[in-house]
Amino acid sequence: MMDAETQEIFRQEAEALMEALQEGLLVLKDTPDDLEVVAGVFRALHTIKGTGAMFGFSRLASFVHNFEAAFEAVRSGKAVVTPELVNVALTAYDLIAELLEGGDPDLAKDAELTAALNAATTGEAAPATAAAPAAKKDAAPAKIESWDLQFRLPQDFMEIGGNPIAMLDELREVGGDSVSVRLLTDRLPPIAQMDPRALYAGFQVTLPGTIKEGAIRDVFMFHEDQMELNLTAVHAAEAAAPAPAEAPKAAAPAAPAAPAAEPKAETAAKANKAASAAVAQLRVAADRVDLIMDRVGELVIAEARLAAIAAQLQNEALLGVVEDIQRLALGLRDSTMALRMTPLSSIMGRFRRLSHDLAETTGKTFDFIVEGEETELDKTVVEKLTDPLVHMIRNSVDHGLETPEQRAEAGKPERGLVKLSARHAGAEVIIEIIDDGRGMNEAAIRKRAIERGLMTEDSDIPRSEVLKMVLEPGFSTAEQVTALSGRGVGADVVKQAIESLNGSIDITSEPGFGTTFCLRLPLTLAIIEGLLIGVANDRYALPLLAVEQILELPEKLAKGDSATDVIELNNELVPVLRLRQVFNRTGTPAAHPKIVIVGANDTRVGLVVDEIIGTNQTVIKQLSPLHSRLKIFSGATILGDGCVALILDVIHLVTLGQEIEQRLKGNAA
């Protein structure tokens, strides 16, 4: 039995395989005839089984062996993928996940799921066929005369340290003296095109039938995902007459194998490419990456201080060294940031599974579409997004989508739509959960809000703000509690999680046409490019990606002293905030103030500042719990002279601008 640390290594390695397994099963639900996906599912199961057995997960390996057998039947054409098989396979996936997490479910589950998998691949003949594997196992020496094995390793196999001769020697150890080997040279390129480091030849090996299939495949346990392997049992009836059997066997590589060589070559090329990518990767603990990020942040601060000192001394040699350090620090920052960035695809698999389970639970038919899953965010943001997105997708299906009968009455397609999309927008990432359901009932929300004292009957609150009240703790308009929702918990969890990431939520809904939840999140929580501005004697930082324009403050606005105003820009009225008045700063205003146009939520606002100091690398430091309630600031940073500058929250500033704009429109009306 392996120690706990070794088993944890296996669990980490198994995560990617489990993700690929679940993704493959969900794809097969929609494309059951895709044999390439079937092969991928089989490879994932086979690898989990082999490595699980090696790392001491004997129960897991035994169960996955039976799981694998079901997809071997599909892969060999003896069975087909059906909705029943996919559903049972997903339940079996859950059992594997529980075993990997160290759980100890009832042993009866293993047998129950194994029988269900067998029934799903054999149909009505399940009892008779179910006995076949056992009979085959017991009577294998009598029925199988020999094994015909053909395999081709990746072309870069020897270049990365592999040894095909060692594999052949291992097969000889398994099969004994009766093993015969023949070289397959049908894919050798012309000499002028040969790479001396590449492996072009394949191998055909004949082994005695007394060997179990698993013993042969175990030789290739760690390579089967990246190679071609065909293992065929030659039965006694086929080998009864030696002379006739010799001719077909000699012809086999030329006739049956040749037509299959072309598609397999393409598959092998893809596998080789994937193998090369895997070799280039290195698994590193997340806390180590965080530690490196912290060190890089401190380096950026030290580099800024050194640059300030060099600027004061005006020493050319020192300035040259500072420029080199700045260049290296910038490159190190970008490289480390790239390590922290994670595509949303890393968590999308669980949402596809969630949609499958919701369809089964609610009886509602709908398509779940994902767009922009290649969009990258800081890993900390991605990790905290999972639960909020789960809640929102559940609500979209349970509250938003109608039943097929209700959709038909409303003149809608029977199948609903839930879409999860992501995209970059400046310094933010926008994630939207969209459904084409019944929409939100504003009247019901207002009524419930009045009952809870969140507003009064004569409150003049915009529709957008009314809809956001569903995010309040304990708020629910559901008439009955279901297994999925109705208790008023979940939406407030979403709000808290998004706000903890310095993000925001917008809700738009059209009765009868659906609802859209729009999440706006910062791209990263570590280091950003900032624009340093001066207001009175204080300095503040703005995310540079949110800055659209910097203008001289028009003379007519320079004379104003109110905290808010408006400016016409490109035939559009843009609200203006005078930060001196917003922060209640006194003193003589600057002779030539500037106005910085920043944008978020498809809205712009102008910020009147005393001076533009310049750009800098802004290392984000979180505010204390006491100061975190000041929503106008998203964090703080340390400048080169050791002073602290607060980072302005652009989203909050834009919200203030929107309120100004609404008041102006109200006054005009």
Side-chain angles (χ1 to χ4, degrees):
M1 190 71 174
M2 297 289 178
D3 58 38
E5 182 179 356
T6 307
Q7 290 191 9
E8 182 59 29
I9 292 174
F10 165 66
R11 288 191 182 96
Q12 293 175 2
E13 294 293 340
E15 285 181 5
L17 291 169
M18 291 293 286
E19 190 73 26
L21 173 59
Q22 180 173 248
E23 182 72 16
L25 292 173
L26 293 171
V27 170
L28 285 177
K29 178 184 175 184
D30 299 321
T31 56
D33 298 328
D34 194 330
L35 294 181
E36 187 174 344
V37 178
V38 171
V41 168
F42 178 83
R43 286 194 300 269
L45 288 168
H46 187 74
T47 307
I48 292 171
K49 179 189 77 172
T51 52
M54 184 178 68
F55 280 90
F57 287 79
S58 54
R59 178 182 172 184
L60 180 145
S62 175
F63 175 70
V64 176
H65 175 75
N66 297 322
F67 194 167
E68 177 190 37
F71 279 86
E72 170 60 23
V74 176
R75 195 174 68 151
S76 61
K78 298 175 183 176
V80 296
V81 175
T82 62
E84 291 75 16
L85 175 59
V86 172
N87 288 335
V88 174
L90 286 170
T91 306
Y93 166 91
D94 292 337
L95 176 60
I96 298 174
E98 188 175 353
L99 292 171
L100 283 172
E101 291 171 1
D104 187 23
D106 189 349
L107 279 170
K109 273 190 176 182
D110 300 38
E112 180 184 341
L113 285 172
T114 298
L117 285 165
N118 183 61
T121 52
T122 57
E124 295 181 354
T129 314
K136 180 179 177 182
K137 183 177 179 181
D138 297 335
K143 288 190 175 183
I144 300 178
E145 182 70 21
S146 62
W147 292 98
D148 180 54
L149 169 67
Q150 294 186 29
F151 69 92
R152 295 179 185 273
L153 295 161
Q155 289 188 8
D156 63 349
F157 185 70
M158 292 189 294
E159 189 176 350
I160 62 176
N163 185 355
I165 303 302
M167 283 190 167
L168 294 173
D169 290 342
E170 192 171 348
L171 287 171
R172 290 189 181 96
E173 289 180 10
V174 171
D177 297 335
S178 59
V179 173
S180 64
V181 179
R182 187 167 72 87
L183 199 64
L184 302 177
T185 59
D186 53 308
R187 296 189 192 173
L188 291 180
I191 293 179
Q193 300 176 13
M194 279 191 178
D195 181 348
R197 299 168 297 179
L199 177 62
Y200 298 105
F203 303 90
Q204 181 172 7
V205 184
T206 303
L207 300 103
T210 53
I211 305 172
K212 294 181 179 179
E213 179 181 356
I216 300 173
R217 291 189 179 275
D218 285 347
V219 174
F220 307 97
M221 180 184 300
F222 300 105
H223 307 283
E224 192 168 350
D225 289 352
Q226 293 86 32
M227 65 181 290
E228 295 179 50
L229 189 150
N230 291 316
L231 182 61
T232 306
V234 180
H235 296 278
E238 300 170 7
E246 195 67 30
K249 192 168 184 180
E262 289 304 317
K264 285 180 181 176
E266 182 179 350
T267 304
K270 293 179 182 177
N272 291 342
K273 184 176 180 181
S276 301
V279 171
Q281 294 179 1
L282 178 66
R283 182 179 291 275
V284 180
D287 57 350
R288 294 189 179 184
V289 177
D290 292 339
L291 183 61
I292 293 173
M293 194 70 247
D294 291 340
R295 296 290 184 269
V296 170
E298 297 301 324
L299 175 63
V300 168
I301 294 171
E303 172 264 312
R305 295 183 63 188
L306 180 61
I309 294 171
Q312 292 176 358
L313 297 177
Q314 288 300 310
N315 183 297
E316 291 186 5
L318 181 58
L319 287 171
V321 173
V322 168
E323 288 181 3
D324 289 340
I325 292 177
Q326 285 177 331
R327 175 176 51 81
L328 293 172
L330 180 61
L332 182 60
R333 183 206 71 175
D334 291 342
S335 299
T336 309
M337 288 293 296
L339 289 177
R340 286 178 62 96
M341 301 305 283
T342 304
L344 282 172
S345 58
S346 62
I347 59 173
M348 287 302 176
R350 66 195 72 185
F351 300 134
R352 292 190 176 93
R353 173 64 188 278
L354 173 65
S355 69
H356 170 273
D357 292 345
L358 287 173
E360 295 290 324
T361 304
T362 63
K364 298 176 181 179
T365 57
F366 62 94
D367 295 318
F368 180 66
I369 298 175
V370 176
E371 294 180 351
E373 57 185 311
E374 71 283 354
T375 304
E376 291 187 332
L377 286 89
D378 188 290
K379 74 173 186 66
T380 305
V381 178
V382 172
E383 288 169 357
K384 292 184 178 181
L385 267 181
T386 304
D387 286 344
L389 290 178
V390 165
H391 283 302
M392 297 172 80
I393 292 171
R394 278 180 175 167
N395 281 340
S396 292
V397 175
D398 194 34
H399 291 303
L401 295 184
E402 309 95 333
T403 63
E405 296 77 16
Q406 291 170 335
R407 293 181 66 85
E409 291 177 5
K412 293 183 176 181
E414 182 177 307
R415 293 186 67 84
L417 172 67
V418 176
K419 182 165 72 172
L420 175 61
S421 70
R423 67 182 187 277
H424 285 122
E428 301 174 328
V429 170
I430 297 177
I431 299 176
E432 292 181 326
I433 298 91
I434 305 167
D435 69 69
D436 68 344
R438 59 174 61 90
M440 298 176 72
N441 188 332
E442 182 183 356
I445 296 173
R446 283 183 180 273
K447 179 181 177 182
R448 181 61 176 151
I450 293 171
E451 291 174 356
R452 298 197 58 208
L454 298 175
M455 60 183 292
T456 60
E457 293 187 5
D458 56 351
S459 297
D460 185 17
I461 299 178
R463 174 180 170 80
S464 59
E465 294 302 315
V466 172
L467 297 183
K468 283 187 181 181
M469 288 184 181
V470 300
L471 302 174
E472 295 298 323
F475 194 101
S476 176
T477 59
E479 296 180 359
Q480 60 182 5
V481 174
T482 69
L484 297 176
S485 58
R487 291 184 170 87
V489 295
D492 60 315
V493 173
V494 172
K495 182 181 179 182
Q496 292 171 11
I498 300 304
E499 287 182 349
S500 71
L501 295 171
N502 296 324
S504 66
I505 308 176
D506 291 323
I507 304 175
T508 57
S509 182
E510 190 68 27
F513 294 94
T515 302
T516 298
F517 286 84
C518 181
L519 311 183
R520 297 178 182 272
L521 299 157
L523 188 63
T524 179
L525 301 176
I527 301 176
I528 60 172
E529 285 289 341
L531 176 69
L532 203 60
I533 60 175
V535 178
N537 296 321
D538 299 324
R539 286 170 289 181
Y540 302 90
L542 282 166
L544 190 59
L545 286 174
V547 176
E548 297 183 3
Q549 290 178 278
I550 300 176
L551 308 169
E552 290 287 343
L553 185 66
E555 186 176 349
K556 63 178 182 178
L557 289 181
K559 297 177 181 178
D561 58 358
S562 64
T564 62
D565 213 321
V566 65
I567 184 176
E568 185 175 351
L569 189 64
N570 299 328
N571 298 320
E572 179 185 350
L573 291 179
V574 177
V576 171
L577 297 175
R578 289 185 175 85
L579 293 186
R580 249 181 189 276
Q581 282 73 19
V582 171
F583 298 146
N584 197 24
R585 305 300 293 163
T586 58
T588 305
H592 303 286
K594 305 291 188 295
I595 181 167
V596 182
I597 307 297
V598 295
N601 298 0
D602 300 323
T603 306
R604 296 186 295 172
V605 66
L607 307 177
V608 178
V609 303
D610 288 336
E611 62 175 328
I612 304 296
I613 299 173
T615 60
N616 73 329
Q617 296 183 62
T618 303
V619 180
I620 301 175
K621 301 290 185 180
Q622 297 301 314
L623 297 175
S624 69
L626 176 64
H627 297 91
S628 62
R629 291 178 293 178
L630 301 173
K631 299 301 182 183
I632 199 169
F633 304 117
S634 60
T637 186
I638 301 174
L639 303 177
D641 59 4
C643 294
V644 174
L646 293 170
I647 302 170
L648 296 177
D649 188 315
V650 174
I651 293 177
H652 187 78
L653 291 171
V654 168
T655 301
L656 289 177
Q658 288 175 325
E659 293 174 359
I660 297 169
E661 189 175 14
Q662 288 172 359
R663 285 202 302 268
L664 290 172
K665 289 180 179 178
N667 294 335

